[in-house]
Amino acid sequence: MTPDNLSLPEPALPTLQKLNATIPADLDVKAVAKAWFAAFTQSIEAGDAQSVAKLFVGDGYWRDMLALTWDFRTFSGVLKITQFLADRLGSVQPSAFALRDDAYLALQQPYPDLAWINLFFDFETPTGIASGIARLVPTANGEWKAHTVYTNLEDLKGFPERIGPLRDAAPNHIKWASERKKEVEFADKSPVVLIVGGGQSGLEVAARLKAFDVPTLIVEKNQRIGDNWRNRYDALCLHDPVWYDHMPYLPFPSTWPVYAPAAKLGNWLESYAETLELNVWTSSTVVKATQDGDLWRVHISRGDGSERTFTVKHVVFATGLGSNNGIFPKYPGMDSFLGQILHSSRHKSATDHLGKKVVVVGACTSAHDICADYYYHGVGIYSEGGLPTDIADRVTASFPHHFNVGLAQRSTKAIAELDKDLLDKLRARGFKVNFGTKGTGLFMLVWMKAGGYYLSSYTGTSQLIADGKIKVKAGGSLESFTETGLKFEDGSELPADVVIFATGLGDTRDHIRKVVDEDVFNRVKPVWGLDPEGELNGVWRDLGVKGLWLMLGNLALCRFHSKHVALQIKAMEEGVFGERYSTKFEI
């Protein structure tokens, strides 16, 4: 499926031309924000959905994460916003609204024809403490109305995180080691939450749950925490910069490299688990998880040969995006090929194939990394100083995915202009480039496919291709294998000793399928990709089976959404979780 064939709405951006509006030279930003917010607060607290809706432009958005819906929802257009508010204001009863008079209350103009007043606010519900962001745009009659409102649950009333002044203040001179050992072993009790997988997603949600005083155990199959990064190919580095990747409670030090090598990140994760005193069983495997009413019976095989069965309330799968099974295309002649065929998930180092002719099938992140590794071994073939992380997370989340289509199209076009010379050289080498789903670059590919792109900022592999240092086989598609290489549909052949398929991974839900009963698995919702509202399927929210959760994503997504998962679990355990305001979609 080509990127342009993926279904995606293209809502118009609220440009000044579309709004038939201008920005007054004498604009008093704070006065406009305060006037709109006063009317907004009055209407909300009166439970008057119609009056609130009148404060929006017709094609506006309201995105909510747990605060008002106990779900992840995006309502687009005044009619849907009105219905949502009519359904929820009476039961949720938001109150205590307060406008933040800070540096983030400002006029923002990302493009000459696009401008809005950005404001932050805080409010409460009977059970929660929440925050919000609104963006106001000008209208033809001079009024400013909301184009986007975002609301987010921050904390639960009466159940704060045990951090800062609420941390453990009791001295512990001699009992700490023995108490930690007892806590980790769960010798005489079961955890409330069992997490399958000890990568960044498992560690971060475990850290959040520990801060909420919810007993939690991580079960990790590898010998050490961090081995999920150490054991991958040697050339792997993070493709996201350090200021985007900070983890909850323990950010990376200011000396940390911008792009961390995988092994270094693995060591950090191991120290993170130790420093935050997370309960981890390594060299252990969840063999079976059986739903028993509102509980789960989880059978674990440990590295020392012992076995344990726990009865827990929640099982969180934090096993990564994609399964352990690589997507392995089948071609005629593979059985007769005299060389080696492997998937990128099994590749370790270019030094394994010194002196060999290597062909990499695929053109996305892993393929680029592996090709660069071979080249450098002589084998042929968020900005720093920007917004604080907690603010940046919320600002990012406040843009509904569908609204972002127009912004992504503009930024992709601008980036393509800046990289025109490089892109032209890639095309000249036979490398096929595209601008992503409907011209949105990598933006929608991330949310809809979790792949299909490559960021060249740190490895420079694209430049190696442009310079002819990494060769590209252009022309016909791969048809079959021969004993000594590959044959293509155009009749050409390519000699090879090693063929690596960098063709993606299988269904993320395969990890769940292995350990739950078939009837339980059949109730598990699809994972990843956008639902009709533009929200991600399955992750960080209701997965379709009570007590079953999926926590995954890069470090930034895990940092932000690990708290959402922990808040839902904590609310359920304390009996304050409300009714989900959800909609079933045909997917």
Side-chain angles (χ1 to χ4, degrees), residues 449-470:
K449 298 177 64 179
Y453 59 88
Y454 167 69
L455 296 173
S456 187
S457 57
Y458 86 94
T459 61
T461 309
S462 292
Q463 191 62 54
L464 294 176
I465 296 172
D467 293 341
K469 295 175 181 178
I470 293 175

Side-chain angles (χ1 to χ4, degrees), residues 411-449:
S411 61
T412 298
K413 186 176 180 180
I415 292 169
E417 285 298 320
L418 291 172
D419 284 344
K420 183 179 184 304
D421 182 61
L422 175 63
L423 295 175
D424 287 345
K425 289 180 179 178
L426 288 172
R427 293 187 184 98
R429 294 292 180 183
F431 189 93
K432 295 181 180 180
V433 301
N434 66 69
F435 294 149
T437 307
K438 295 187 176 179
T440 59
L442 68 83
F443 176 77
M444 280 296 165
L445 290 172
V446 170
W447 303 125
M448 301 180 79
K449 298 177 64 179

Side-chain angles (χ1 to χ4, degrees), residues 23 31 92 99 145 160 173 199 225 230 283 297 421 430 454 537:
I23 306 299
V92 178
L99 178 66
K145 293 190 173 185
H173 298 292
I225 290 294
R230 294 188 196 94
S283 300
R297 289 181 58 80
D421 182 61
Y454 167 69
N537 293 306

Side-chain angles (χ1 to χ4, degrees), residues 89 99 104 107 240 244 328 334 337 365 367 471 475-476 533 587:
L89 289 181
L99 178 66
Y104 307 116
L107 177 70
D240 299 320
Y244 178 70
F328 224 132
M334 293 179 83
F337 179 59
T365 301
K471 307 299 182 184
E533 289 182 348
I587 301 175

